[in-house]
Amino acid sequence: MRNLAVIPARSGSKGLKNKNIRLLDGKPLMAYTIEAARETGIFERVMVSTDSPEYAEIARNWGAEVPFLRSKEASGDGAASWDVVKEVLDGYEEIGQYFDVVCLLQPTSPLRTWKDIEAAYHIFRERSAIAVISVCEAEHTPLWYNMLREDNSLDGFIRQEHNVRRQEAKPYYRINGAIYFALVEELRTDGNLYRKGSFAYIMEQERSIDIDTELDFLYAELIHRRLRGGILSRYQMVHKNAYPHIGRCA
């Protein structure tokens, strides 16, 4: 199989200006994802899709390729990530390069490691999947969420059968935005990857930070320094003799 990693990094971020090249512990944010993708050794190409010549130069300096810039149509706020991926695939096909598998890696997930990508790919191959998408356990059970009435009354806010202790609540999972593997053929013919043949790769919460705001950035920097310092997380201490790199399916 020929595998392509696509790292989308447009320059027009509204929530956090220039977040994709902002320095996190002295390194541009996108560099963490470029390095993680390259370290897996499973991709024929690690490509950054950007609309900015400045971003393109930074991406190349960190080992990614940028054979063409993103179109204006795919650079706006309304452009979906998979539209960007399809444009990239079209661009490569125009120069005679074709891929069987594409992996979308958001640069806003800098704590995702090469082992996470490799583990997700292991599931992808082992399960003959059409897609593998990373998730993490939700911080809070959605059973405790509801809309408020106009008068802010809490009458019926939580149904009685959902009023359980946190320790007794069953775990829920959320898409964390870090890793998306997909068969190119399936992506071309059916944009819905959340169907039969698609599986989850479960990541730890601490590596699942998706940077969108200043608070997210500060939190990611704090966790990065903690992990870099070699302090084992609770999950790592429990599983330090097992590998997190094989991952799990849900």
Side-chain angles (χ1 to χ4, degrees):
M1 284 189 170
R2 285 180 55 79
N3 305 326
L4 170 67
V6 177
I7 303 169
R10 73 185 181 101
S11 60
S13 173
K14 297 293 192 297
L16 193 59
K17 188 176 180 180
N18 286 323
K19 66 181 176 182
N20 290 319
I21 60 170
R22 181 169 171 176
L23 298 184
L24 189 153
D25 271 354
K27 186 186 298 186
L29 191 65
M30 72 164 75
Y32 290 90
T33 297
I34 294 170
E35 289 184 330
R38 285 171 53 84
E39 286 176 27
T40 65
I42 65 177
F43 299 108
E44 274 70 29
R45 296 283 187 271
V46 174
M47 186 272 190
V48 168
S49 171
T50 183
D51 59 328
S52 164
E54 178 191 2
Y55 281 29
E57 186 62 25
I58 293 171
R60 293 186 184 106
N61 288 340
W62 285 94
E65 64 177 51
V66 189
F68 40 80
L69 292 179
R70 191 187 302 187
S71 69
K72 184 178 180 180
E73 293 73 25
S75 301
D77 293 336
S81 294
W82 289 116
D83 292 332
V84 173
V85 170
K86 290 174 183 177
E87 180 181 81
V88 168
L89 291 169
D90 290 341
Y92 272 110
E93 290 177 8
E94 287 177 7
I95 57 176
Q97 296 188 35
Y98 298 84
F99 300 91
D100 304 296
V101 177
V102 64
C103 183
L104 172 63
L105 299 169
Q106 305 276 12
T108 49
S109 298
L111 305 184
R112 164 244 299 113
T113 69
W114 69 268
K115 291 184 177 181
D116 289 313
I117 301 170
E118 187 180 81
Y121 186 61
H122 175 83
I123 295 170
F124 185 83
R125 294 296 300 270
E126 186 179 58
R127 304 297 297 269
S128 297
I130 64 168
V132 168
I133 298 169
S134 60
V135 304
C136 68
E137 188 172 334
E139 290 76 5
H140 305 286
T141 174
L143 300 180
W144 298 341
Y145 287 63
N146 210 332
M147 298 177 67
L148 282 174
R149 302 177 183 181
E150 289 186 4
D151 64 354
N152 289 346
S153 170
L154 289 176
D155 180 29
F157 186 84
I158 297 179
R159 292 168 55 180
Q160 189 59 39
E161 62 268 28
H162 294 166
N163 193 18
V164 297
R165 295 190 307 159
R166 179 179 57 82
Q167 297 88 338
E168 297 172 347
K170 293 182 179 180
Y172 278 74
Y173 294 86
R174 63 174 177 85
I175 304 297
N176 69 358
I179 304 169
Y180 300 82
F181 272 102
L183 285 174
V184 170
E185 183 179 1
E186 294 290 339
L187 183 62
R188 292 285 202 189
T189 58
D190 190 334
N192 176 25
L193 297 179
Y194 301 94
R195 55 191 175 91
K196 187 176 181 180
S198 181
F199 299 92
Y201 166 63
I202 302 174
M203 285 175 55
E204 295 177 62
Q205 288 180 350
E206 67 184 14
R207 295 202 310 279
S208 296
I209 298 170
D210 184 10
I211 296 176
D212 192 47
T213 66
E214 183 70 27
L215 182 59
D216 294 335
F217 194 94
L218 294 174
Y219 186 40
E221 198 163 47
L222 174 66
I223 297 299
H224 178 259
R225 290 172 182 172
R226 173 177 178 267
L227 294 176
R228 187 181 60 182
I231 303 173
L232 293 177
S233 69
R234 177 175 60 84
Y235 179 95
Q236 289 169 322
M237 292 185 70
V238 170
H239 296 275
K240 62 182 177 181
N241 295 321
Y243 157 358
H245 133 226
I246 294 298
R248 295 172 289 162
C249 287

